[in-house]
Amino acid sequence: MTDLIGYLAAGLTTLSFLPQALHTFRTRDVSGISLGMYALFTTGVALWVAYGALMASGPLLAANIVTLSLALAILVMKLRYGRAPRKD
Amino acid sequence: MTDLIGYLAAGLTTLSFLPQALHTFRTRDVSGISLGMYALFTTGVALWVAYGALMASGPLLAANIVTLSLALAILVMKLRYGRAPRKD
């Protein structure tokens, strides 16, 4: 039961970035997205991947590689779409 | 060294939601934020809190209670500020 709750928790927090990535991809609306959040979060998840590798933990590695891909995609879109269209 | 990376990872992914919460609070700009993401993420983090309690893990509990508070605040702001201002 405890394990089930843990796997469910991991699944939900990992997959939750999918609707955000799709929403951002479709709307290109990134003004409400915090660059600071995705800079810190992406760095943090990259460290979780390193931690999972060092601990040789399959579930930790798998969940965090998925999250890292999605968070990195959102960060790149924030940087790309967030630029002011003109300089004047 | 492995522990240090784990704690750093936990600290960054937990604290990353602070700039997003502050950004959303200041700008009230929630159109780019995915409701699906925060609905799934908040549920997932609530399950992480339950998992931390069942495992009697202090660090898991502490990190996820902070994340839950921030994610819940962003979810509430999304629901409140995201409503269309008029019905016509």
Side-chain angles (χ1 to χ4, degrees):
Chain A
M1 180 63 182
T2 302
D3 272 5
L4 183 71
I5 290 175
Y7 283 118
L8 205 58
L12 285 176
T13 49
T14 298
L15 286 182
S16 66
F17 287 88
L18 189 62
Q20 178 67 65
L22 291 174
H23 181 78
T24 305
F25 184 72
R26 276 195 298 250
T27 63
R28 303 198 170 193
D29 177 0
V30 292
S31 61
I33 287 179
S34 159
L35 178 61
M37 167 177 167
Y38 281 94
L40 290 177
F41 189 78
T42 306
T43 310
V45 177
L47 289 176
W48 275 123
V49 171
Y51 183 74
L54 288 166
M55 298 285 283
S57 160
L60 214 48
L61 263 175
N64 283 297
I65 285 172
V66 173
T67 309
L68 181 61
S69 315
L70 293 168
L72 201 59
I74 296 166
L75 179 62
V76 167
M77 288 190 281
K78 168 70 186 173
L79 291 170
R80 184 166 298 174
Y81 304 152
R83 285 204 189 110
R86 284 194 305 268
K87 281 190 180 170
D88 55 15
Chain B
M1 180 63 182
T2 302
D3 272 5
L4 183 70
I5 290 175
Y7 283 118
L8 205 59
L12 285 176
T13 49
T14 298
L15 286 182
S16 66
F17 287 87
L18 189 61
Q20 179 67 67
L22 291 174
H23 181 79
T24 306
F25 183 73
R26 276 195 295 251
T27 63
R28 301 198 170 195
D29 177 0
V30 293
S31 61
I33 288 179
S34 159
L35 178 61
M37 167 178 167
Y38 281 94
L40 291 177
F41 189 79
T42 305
T43 309
V45 177
L47 289 176
W48 275 123
V49 171
Y51 183 73
L54 288 165
M55 298 285 283
S57 159
L60 214 49
L61 263 175
N64 283 296
I65 285 172
V66 173
T67 308
L68 181 60
S69 314
L70 293 168
L72 201 59
I74 297 166
L75 179 61
V76 167
M77 289 190 280
K78 169 71 185 172
L79 291 169
R80 184 167 297 173
Y81 304 152
R83 284 202 190 111
R86 286 192 304 269
K87 282 188 180 172
D88 54 17

